[in-house]
Amino acid sequence: MLHALANPARFLRLMAAIRPWAAGVAVLGLGVGLAWGLLYSPPDYQQGETVRIMYIHVPAAWMGMFIYAAMAVASATALIWRHPVAELVAKASAPAGAAFTLICLITGSLWGKPMWGAWWVWDARLTSMLILFFLYLGYIALWEAFDDPARAGRAAAILALVGAINLPIIKFSVDWWNTMHQPASVLTLEGPKIHPDILWPLLITAIGAKGYYVWLLTVRVRAEILKRQARILRFAAATDRRAG
Amino acid sequence: MGGHAAFIWPAFAIALIVLCGLALLSRWGLTVAERDHAQARREAGRDGPRNEVGA
């Protein structure tokens, strides 16, 4: 399976087949989930209407972490098996992960002001999430810092793997330290602790966000493969000219 | 919506702007890459019929 997907042409065909379905899931999931959360879900007994920000904040936080984990797996695959497409999947994932993490930080700040009385606190969960955002920026910058894509890919893959240590820190920060951020209420061993009226729009939005990520991946990986092919074609043409 | 609702719309608006902006940028990037790839094929003489038309 892994070797079959190493062929860029086969991978592009798979991406082309997935793209419309991913777009459908994204539009439907984000549309229904956000409309449900914004207009039809009940206010929280403590947070009031401000709880609606959670319908963006929580899926964005999940996606920020999920995409980094996917990036780390793709980077490991690229480093260990020299898988050419895995490297491009990791590279194409980074802007999506950075965007979701940024949304998580901004919406968290907009929720924090009315609820905690502060835009920002140096809480363990908030700080580790900010570090995740900087890891994404560093990863993107590292790709641009080298002229040789092979060296850039290796350096970026190592950063992605080292940075993955931040993921359990984010997840368990609310348990390991005394934080202002509330503990996990959906992804727990005992199951979700929140009411289905709030849980369902949250999950539908999260599915829509996954669809958005997959769609974005199909677009960005295709662009990366075409860029590499264009570079190879130009190199071959220059070599032919010199030989002729 | 009443109470502490002032920040709800900005939160939704920022999320939509960021996601739509990234989607548009990525789609534009793909268009540029497709155009550049076609150009590179023509330059390398790998684009048979289209190369003849373009020549």
Side-chain angles (χ1 to χ4, degrees):
Chain A
M1 175 71 176
L2 204 62
H3 290 293
L5 293 177
N7 179 332
R10 195 175 294 150
F11 191 80
L12 284 179
R13 280 198 297 277
L14 178 71
M15 292 280 108
I18 290 173
R19 194 181 303 156
W21 293 99
V25 170
V27 170
L28 212 65
L30 288 174
V32 172
L34 290 179
W36 190 346
L38 187 62
L39 304 171
Y40 302 111
S41 73
D44 182 71
Y45 79 110
Q46 280 181 322
Q47 301 173 46
E49 300 288 351
T50 311
V51 74
R52 297 184 198 286
I53 294 176
M54 291 296 115
Y55 296 113
I56 320 164
H57 175 75
V58 176
W62 286 342
M63 288 307 293
M65 293 171 67
F66 172 81
I67 292 172
Y68 199 93
M71 222 169 78
V73 170
S75 296
T77 308
L79 277 178
I80 297 165
W81 288 288
R82 307 237 169 222
H83 196 289
V85 178
E87 187 178 83
L88 299 182
V89 167
K91 186 183 181 189
S93 296
F100 277 114
T101 308
L102 180 67
I103 290 169
C104 166
L105 290 168
I106 293 174
T107 54
S109 187
L110 289 168
W111 179 89
K113 183 62 181 167
M115 291 295 109
W116 293 346
W119 297 106
W120 181 264
V121 288
W122 292 101
D123 177 276
R125 171 61 69 85
L126 276 68
T127 307
S128 52
M129 210 63 198
L130 183 65
I131 290 169
L132 181 70
F133 181 61
F134 289 145
L135 279 169
Y136 276 124
L137 295 187
Y139 180 89
I140 294 166
L142 211 48
W143 264 104
E144 304 301 323
F146 292 87
D147 287 331
D148 178 12
R151 285 182 67 202
R154 268 197 302 278
I158 290 167
L159 174 67
L161 285 173
V162 172
I165 193 71
N166 192 37
L167 295 179
I169 294 175
I170 296 171
K171 169 73 182 148
F172 297 110
S173 57
V174 286
D175 304 319
W176 293 342
W177 291 285
N178 188 18
T179 66
M180 279 180 76
H181 197 284
Q182 59 267 48
S185 50
V186 179
L187 303 172
T188 66
L189 289 175
E190 301 86 37
K193 295 175 187 168
I194 57 178
H195 195 274
D197 285 349
I198 292 176
L199 183 65
W200 277 109
L202 207 58
L203 292 179
I204 292 169
T205 308
I207 291 168
K210 290 266 192 318
Y212 173 88
Y213 165 57
V214 173
W215 177 83
L216 203 74
L217 210 55
T218 64
V219 170
R220 296 188 75 94
V221 171
R222 179 172 165 74
E224 288 295 333
I225 288 174
L226 290 178
K227 270 189 228 169
R228 288 207 171 183
Q229 285 178 346
R231 197 180 301 124
I232 291 166
L233 283 167
R234 289 208 166 94
F235 182 76
T239 309
D240 287 350
R241 271 198 298 275
R242 269 201 295 274
Chain B
M1 280 183 282
H4 299 296
F7 296 125
I8 296 169
W9 288 107
F12 275 70
I14 288 167
L16 286 177
I17 288 167
V18 171
L19 293 181
C20 291
L22 182 62
L24 286 173
L25 265 178
S26 301
R27 192 64 195 81
W28 174 73
L30 176 58
T31 305
V32 170
E34 282 171 342
R35 205 176 298 152
D36 186 53
H37 182 258
Q39 175 73 21
R41 279 182 71 85
R42 277 194 293 276
E43 285 169 13
R46 303 277 174 92
D47 203 11
R50 271 191 285 168
N51 186 46
E52 285 164 25
V53 171

